[in-house]
Amino acid sequence: MGCAAHTLKEFASSNEWRALLHINENNVSEILDNNFFISGQMDPEIEMKTLLENISCDNICKYPARYRYISKKMNLNISFSHCNNLQKYLEDSRGDSVSIVFASSYLESPTSYFGHTFIKINKKKDLFFSQTLSYAAELPESVGLFNLVNGGINGGFSGKYVASPYFKLIEEYSVIEQRKLYEYELNLTQDEIEDLLWHSYETLNIAVPYKFFSENCAYEVFWFLENAKPNLKMRQKLKPYIIPYETIEILLAEGLVGQKAIRHPSIDELSAIYFSLSFAEKNIFEKFSNADDKQLFLKNADLSIDVKNKFIELTNGHYDILFKKFRTVKSDYNEVKNLDYTRSSYINDQEFQYKNTHSIFIGKVFGPSTSHSMIRLRPALFNRYEPQNNILSEQTFELMQIEFLKNQSNIKMNSFDIIKLESLNKRFVFYDPWSWRLYLGGNRSLVGSKFSTVGELGAGITKGNEYGSIYGIGQMALYPFDNSIVVQGLFGLSYWIGQSHINYDFKSLVFTTNDKSQDESLVSFNYEINKKVAFSVSKDFKKNERKAMLIFKF
């Protein structure tokens, strides 16, 4: 009996068993759903003992991964052939290999700015029916911004593990939301894939507290992988909070990544084709798009075969988006679909550019009468002056950023940005998303350098191409402790040359209830020296201030 007890304790403390129960380094399971445990407790030894004391057909089918582990270790020869749902799930899910897939950010939703990470079990002969395993928050249909942020940070929402065929996620991400899918095949054996699948069956529809910055899709993916490779313990390599694309970096560092692939959304392909047209060709395309008889238009047009091919491909792609995303069918849909064309390839399969999420800005501010040393701390994440992964958008997502200025006599807080979101989405021909920005925090933008709390919300439009953009946004700013409201017009120019970025921002005062608001005019130059170091210089024409900074990222 003592020997048996010793063996049970040994098995229950193994990495494999702890991974099955999601027992973390604090010896606590991160799954709080009572349906997950037969014992009703999170103790790994009690759970194993209870399973052994309650072996039945129903329990074997409800906790198959656990009984499978026990059967192997204790030579119990437990059969699972009667578990019809399990057998159907395994039959539908088994594949040749496993990939981690990263879906890039969704431009129209702040909650998707981080992107999304999920697992795909690849069926080489039937790719679109490959099984996917993911973890996502269950958000209420209507939730305010404050409750969204507060609940997301503090675990106020539940998340669930979900299995679905790959074609459904392609439709959701690539077609409806127009997001890139970066696929990274992992070096897992068939036995490891089987372990992952058995465990995933036990977790389906189990509720787990969701936290935007820590226990999110990226974090939970590692629990699946730890069931395939229990001794790696990749979660221990994570930062206090994790961004979904950082999952890929860790897997690359562990040497687990094999082949890579990118699935581009149709809007990326269409924008590349459209941007390749000359100015004159774009004007002709506008007329072609509005022509009643497109075939006759092309017949009479003095255009090269290559350009005509682009016109047809652009229109075909546009009609596909209208139908698949908006369920809209143009009157000449069949005519356009019957036009012959050769599919072109204008997409650059550039790998995802990973960003170091923490930054320290150190520099000097030169004013008209005095100068200051400055330091800015940004815990997360990035701004639109840095290299982007999407040519159709320039984005900012900054949280809890704080800046201090120091001269010979004092030190002062210059700004504290609780949250800053900007999405400048470039419009072209048949792609017309809104651009918008949101800011909550405090700064010294009012005349007199008084530190003021401010909230800003604005929307507008952006036009541009792969090299740059021009934007215009109408914005309302509320200064709650100054009892004032300000209406502003924001305008800007942006141009990229490799890793260099030139930007001009102008803020014009339209209406104000105070006498301290002012116009702003700022030009800046940013250069990404490497992944960890950047350089920035800027001039504020209204304040007659110049700033030079080194930016260190980690």
Side-chain angles (χ1 to χ4, degrees):
M1 186 71 179
C3 179
H6 173 75
T7 302
L8 188 146
K9 188 177 186 67
E10 181 182 327
F11 290 156
S13 62
S14 69
N15 291 334
E16 293 96 323
W17 187 251
R18 293 171 66 87
L20 284 169
L21 302 181
H22 290 214
I23 302 290
N24 62 23
E25 290 67 42
N26 297 321
N27 209 35
V28 175
S29 175
E30 294 176 359
I31 296 180
L32 305 181
D33 192 327
N34 289 333
N35 289 322
F36 186 70
F37 298 95
I38 190 173
S39 62
Q41 300 185 46
M42 299 180 189
D43 185 286
E45 190 173 344
I46 293 175
E47 179 72 7
M48 181 175 284
K49 185 178 180 181
T50 306
L51 284 163
L52 286 167
E53 292 172 348
N54 293 273
I55 297 178
S56 69
C57 290
D58 288 344
N59 286 337
I60 288 171
C61 295
K62 186 176 181 180
Y63 308 103
R66 276 167 262 191
Y67 275 115
R68 180 170 174 260
Y69 172 81
I70 291 171
S71 182
K72 284 182 179 179
K73 292 296 182 181
M74 300 184 180
N75 297 315
L76 297 182
N77 196 27
I78 295 174
S79 173
F80 302 90
S81 59
H82 65 285
C83 302
N84 296 330
N85 290 339
L86 170 67
Q87 298 303 330
K88 179 69 166 58
Y89 175 77
L90 294 174
E91 181 182 346
D92 291 343
S93 302
R94 286 185 176 117
D96 307 286
S97 61
V98 169
S99 292
I100 288 286
V101 183
F102 171 68
S104 62
S105 59
Y106 178 32
L107 306 183
E108 299 176 23
S109 172
T111 59
S112 300
Y113 252 32
F114 291 129
H116 180 59
T117 309
F118 60 91
I119 286 175
K120 177 165 71 80
I121 295 90
N122 303 306
K123 295 179 183 289
K124 292 183 179 178
K125 293 183 179 180
D126 206 354
L127 175 65
F128 291 101
F129 285 89
S130 296
Q131 187 72 281
T132 67
L133 304 169
S134 59
Y135 172 80
E138 292 191 309
L139 299 178
E141 289 187 8
S142 59
V143 57
L145 179 63
F146 176 80
N147 290 332
L148 177 67
V149 174
N150 182 59
I153 292 174
N154 297 313
F157 302 116
S158 289
K160 282 193 175 181
Y161 302 100
V162 179
S164 58
Y166 190 37
F167 74 83
K168 288 189 176 181
L169 297 191
I170 290 176
E171 181 178 9
E172 178 183 353
Y173 293 139
S174 287
V175 178
I176 297 175
E177 297 181 356
Q178 294 293 316
R179 299 160 74 170
K180 286 189 182 76
L181 296 176
Y182 298 86
E183 300 183 12
Y184 301 84
E185 190 172 308
L186 303 181
N187 300 319
L188 297 182
T189 66
Q190 282 299 316
D191 287 342
E192 290 168 340
I193 295 172
E194 194 73 3
D195 290 341
L196 185 155
L197 282 175
W198 280 69
H199 172 66
S200 69
Y201 181 80
E202 288 191 0
T203 64
L204 294 181
N205 298 313
I206 292 295
V208 182
Y210 186 96
K211 296 181 181 179
F212 286 157
F213 304 118
S214 53
E215 295 172 25
N216 53 24
C217 62
Y219 179 86
E220 297 299 333
V221 155
F222 279 127
W223 276 118
F224 285 123
L225 296 181
E226 282 193 24
N227 274 276
K229 288 183 172 290
N231 295 323
L232 278 182
K233 295 187 177 180
M234 288 176 284
R235 288 177 306 99
Q236 296 182 11
K237 300 177 175 66
L238 300 176
K239 299 173 183 176
Y241 62 84
I242 180 171
I243 310 305
Y245 59 72
E246 293 178 333
T247 311
I248 313 300
E249 285 191 288
I250 294 171
L251 294 172
L252 286 167
E254 291 290 335
L256 288 177
V257 175
Q259 294 182 344
K260 307 171 189 176
I262 302 175
R263 180 176 294 276
H264 294 276
S266 55
I267 201 67
D268 275 13
E269 298 174 347
L270 299 181
S271 64
I273 296 170
Y274 182 75
F275 292 151
S276 72
L277 297 175
S278 68
F279 181 77
E281 290 166 348
K282 290 175 183 175
N283 287 333
I284 298 173
F285 178 72
E286 295 275 0
K287 297 176 182 177
F288 169 76
S289 298
N290 297 319
D292 293 329
D293 190 333
K294 292 179 170 56
Q295 189 168 17
L296 181 62
F297 183 98
L298 290 178
K299 182 178 179 180
N300 296 330
D302 184 19
L303 297 169
S304 68
I305 294 175
D306 179 58
V307 172
K308 290 180 180 180
N309 190 82
K310 292 177 182 179
F311 281 16
I312 300 172
E313 187 170 4
L314 280 170
T315 309
N316 257 276
H318 179 211
Y319 283 17
D320 281 343
I321 291 175
L322 288 176
F323 176 69
K324 293 176 181 177
K325 184 172 182 178
F326 302 106
R327 296 296 185 253
T328 300
V329 180
K330 289 277 194 175
S331 59
D332 59 349
Y333 180 88
N334 290 329
E335 176 199 340
V336 168
K337 286 298 176 181
N338 287 327
L339 294 175
D340 291 329
Y341 72 96
T342 303
R343 189 175 176 83
S344 52
S345 178
Y346 290 88
I347 293 293
N348 177 16
D349 277 340
Q350 183 178 6
E351 287 192 34
F352 186 83
Q353 300 299 304
Y354 303 102
K355 304 174 188 293
N356 287 310
T357 55
H358 315 289
S359 299
I360 296 177
F361 301 68
I362 298 175
K364 199 81 173 176
V365 180
F366 303 93
S369 58
T370 184
S371 63
H372 295 81
S373 298
M374 67 145 288
I375 183 168
R376 183 189 304 168
L377 307 176
R378 186 181 71 190
L381 283 165
F382 54 83
N383 62 43
R384 60 187 172 90
Y385 307 111
E386 302 170 4
Q388 306 282 308
N389 278 296
N390 193 327
I391 64 171
L392 291 178
S393 182
E394 295 176 8
Q395 300 175 326
T396 294
F397 192 158
E398 294 180 324
L399 295 168
M400 309 305 289
Q401 178 173 263
I402 189 168
E403 179 178 293
F404 294 96
L405 297 180
K406 181 184 182 303
N407 59 19
Q408 292 181 344
S409 58
N410 62 43
I411 183 170
K412 64 181 180 182
M413 183 169 63
N414 192 46
S415 63
F416 178 50
D417 308 332
I418 298 173
I419 184 169
K420 184 177 182 180
L421 296 174
E422 295 178 313
S423 190
L424 305 184
N425 303 313
K426 304 171 189 176
R427 294 185 170 198
F428 72 94
V429 66
F430 43 70
Y431 180 64
D432 54 357
W434 287 99
S435 294
W436 54 272
R437 73 182 305 272
L438 167 71
Y439 174 84
L440 295 173
N443 54 46
R444 299 180 185 273
S445 60
L446 297 180
V447 174
S449 295
K450 174 189 172 185
F451 190 89
S452 301
T453 302
V454 59
E456 300 172 344
L457 182 64
I461 62 173
T462 302
K463 301 282 283 187
N465 56 26
E466 65 266 47
Y467 300 110
S469 63
I470 178 171
Y471 74 87
I473 289 177
Q475 172 175 282
M476 178 176 288
L478 173 65
Y479 294 84
F481 300 110
D482 294 275
N483 297 315
S484 66
I485 297 175
V486 180
V487 178
Q488 301 158 319
L490 280 63
F491 309 93
L493 296 167
S494 173
Y495 188 74
W496 294 89
I497 310 172
Q499 298 298 302
S500 301
H501 182 220
I502 302 169
N503 195 84
Y504 175 69
D505 292 309
F506 179 72
K507 186 182 292 184
S508 176
L509 187 64
V510 177
F511 168 81
T512 180
T513 59
N514 65 50
D515 58 356
K516 297 180 180 179
S517 299
Q518 58 185 337
D519 292 345
E520 296 178 24
S521 180
L522 181 73
V523 64
S524 63
F525 171 78
N526 298 269
Y527 177 66
E528 195 94 350
I529 299 172
N530 55 44
K531 189 177 177 181
K532 295 186 176 181
V533 183
F535 174 69
S536 175
V537 291
S538 61
K539 180 171 181 178
D540 187 327
F541 290 96
K542 293 298 180 181
K543 293 182 179 180
N544 194 23
E545 243 179 29
R546 290 164 291 129
K547 185 182 293 184
M549 299 182 295
L550 276 175
I551 306 163
F552 301 94
K553 305 177 183 183
F554 56 98

